Amino acid sequence: MSDMKVCIVGAGAIGGFIGARLAASGVSTSVLARRDTLQALQTHGWRLHTEQGLIQAATEASDRAESLGHQDLVIIALKGQVLPELVASLKPLIGPNTLILPTMNGVPWWFCQSVSGFSPEPLRSVDPQGLIAEVLPQQQVIGVVVHASCLCPEPGVVRHVMGNGLIIGEPGGGHSERVHHVASMLAGAGFSVTESTDIRRDIWYKLWGNLTMNPVSAMTGATTEAILSDELVKTFCSDVMREAALIGARIGCVIDQEPDDRHAITLKLGAFKTSMLQDAEAGRALELDAIVSVVAEIATRLQIDAPNLRALLGLSRLFASSHGLYSRAGQ
């Protein structure tokens, strides 16, 4: 049993997946949630459906961070576009020694803060006012990549679909005792945990595939298998990925594969619906800023020409805006 006091911020699919397993393993968990999800958690606790059966565990649930107080670890499982609006309300959770684990898709707010030669100005695509960096300082962050797929069929209920992997590491690279301690706690809850010495590269590698598959699937309604079966679309995705690989190399995130190598991995998933396609079908806002806009912003700051990336951003943003699925983060 871990001696850490852990709060999950956002009890959707991934938040519920991690929270339920931690609580079931004996970790002291609380959760910051709202509306129907809050009520469900207060009534039933965590509920996670897995192949092995239902995992159910009690948790302290509130919609006020003040009632939960300082935590040892805060796991942020919000959508990227929501965090700028809510981050100020998280201040009561964050003490001087609180660790922050953002399990969010795409490029996080802290990603370029320590990159040599890169402007220290916040990435405005994901942190428009710079408030996230102020409330959630990089020195308290542990980077993470989630390799799992879960669904949230109703408030407070999560169904695990596939994957069980978590990669965690220091934003600045290398080993640390605090990463090892968090990794041990997560492993004790049943996760397959890898301690990375280069978490930025791991984040960028996952993004490298999601950057194209997510928005293209949302716009077309096609599965990843269908996308990669169309040679014209596959070629376009590959061209975007080559541009992203060039951008990554300039910020210390080298990709040592070709697009076709990554496509082969994606094809193993079969007729897979990306999370962004699922959001589009459900009428939920799309995470374009943390996955596409921010990459274009980094390219602009580095003065890298990326015409295919910009075309993808323009098309996906127009699609999402015209369907009521996009608004600028923090606005």
Side-chain angles (χ1 to χ4, degrees):
M1 180 185 298
S2 170
D3 58 354
M4 295 191 84
K5 184 180 178 183
V6 180
C7 181
I8 311 293
V9 177
I14 295 300
F17 177 51
I18 296 174
R21 285 196 162 185
L22 286 175
S25 72
V27 174
S28 174
T29 70
S30 61
V31 56
L32 194 64
R34 297 185 293 178
R35 297 187 287 273
D36 291 347
T37 300
L38 173 63
Q39 183 176 355
L41 289 164
Q42 289 176 333
T43 303
H44 302 288
W46 299 109
R47 287 177 291 173
L48 170 65
H49 293 276
T50 72
E51 287 187 352
Q52 292 73 39
L54 174 66
I55 295 175
Q56 189 163 10
T59 189
E60 181 181 4
S62 177
D63 57 359
R64 294 179 62 255
E66 294 85 351
S67 68
L68 301 177
H70 285 179
Q71 304 290 312
D72 296 312
L73 176 67
V74 173
I75 298 176
I76 300 177
L78 299 169
K79 295 286 188 180
Q81 65 269 24
V82 175
L83 185 56
E85 304 170 10
L86 298 182
V87 68
S89 68
L90 306 185
K91 288 182 180 181
L93 302 175
I94 312 296
N97 298 312
T98 300
L99 297 178
I100 302 160
L101 193 73
T103 63
M104 301 158 66
N105 285 328
V107 173
W109 71 93
W110 55 264
F111 198 74
C112 291
Q113 287 180 359
S114 59
V115 174
S116 177
F118 197 89
S119 168
E121 181 185 351
L123 291 168
R124 299 298 180 184
S125 296
V126 291
D127 191 5
Q129 310 302 324
L131 186 59
I132 300 177
E134 179 183 325
V135 176
L136 308 175
Q138 181 184 9
Q139 62 267 27
Q140 293 177 238
V141 169
I142 292 176
V144 61
V145 177
V146 177
H147 287 295
S149 177
C150 298
L151 299 175
C152 192
E154 62 181 272
V157 177
V158 175
R159 180 166 65 85
H160 179 227
V161 178
M162 59 186 284
N164 191 43
L166 299 174
I167 306 173
I168 70 171
E170 291 287 350
H175 295 282
S176 76
E177 183 58 35
R178 67 181 193 171
V179 166
H180 182 68
H181 186 61
V182 173
S184 297
M185 179 190 68
L186 292 167
F191 294 101
S192 176
V193 186
T194 301
E195 295 181 48
S196 173
T197 59
D198 192 0
I199 193 65
R200 291 179 65 257
R201 190 268 176 191
D202 296 313
I203 290 171
W204 194 263
Y205 179 72
K206 182 180 179 182
L207 172 79
W208 194 52
N210 289 346
L211 174 64
T212 54
M213 291 297 110
N214 271 274
V216 171
S217 67
M219 287 186 288
T220 62
T223 65
T224 53
E225 184 178 62
I227 290 168
L228 294 174
S229 296
D230 187 302
E231 284 301 318
L232 291 176
V233 178
K234 178 182 176 182
T235 297
F236 173 68
C237 291
S238 296
D239 289 342
V240 175
M241 292 171 74
R242 290 188 185 93
E243 293 173 355
L246 176 61
I247 296 164
R250 290 279 299 274
I251 56 173
C253 300
V254 176
I255 300 296
D256 54 6
Q257 288 184 340
E258 291 297 320
D260 280 346
D261 299 323
R262 183 58 181 268
H263 295 331
I265 295 172
T266 302
L267 283 170
K268 291 179 181 179
L269 299 174
F272 181 73
K273 286 189 176 184
T274 69
S275 60
M276 196 175 286
L277 173 54
Q278 293 177 43
D279 285 343
E281 290 179 337
R284 294 188 291 261
L286 304 188
E287 292 182 285
L288 289 178
D289 288 327
I291 294 177
V292 188
S293 303
V294 70
V295 182
E297 179 183 352
I298 294 171
T300 296
R301 293 209 197 177
L302 295 173
Q303 298 183 321
I304 294 175
D305 188 29
N308 294 289
L309 169 63
R310 297 185 193 286
L312 176 63
L313 173 58
L315 288 168
S316 57
R317 193 163 55 192
L318 181 61
F319 165 82
S321 297
S322 63
H323 287 78
L325 304 176
Y326 174 81
S327 61
R328 182 72 174 87
Q331 295 182 1

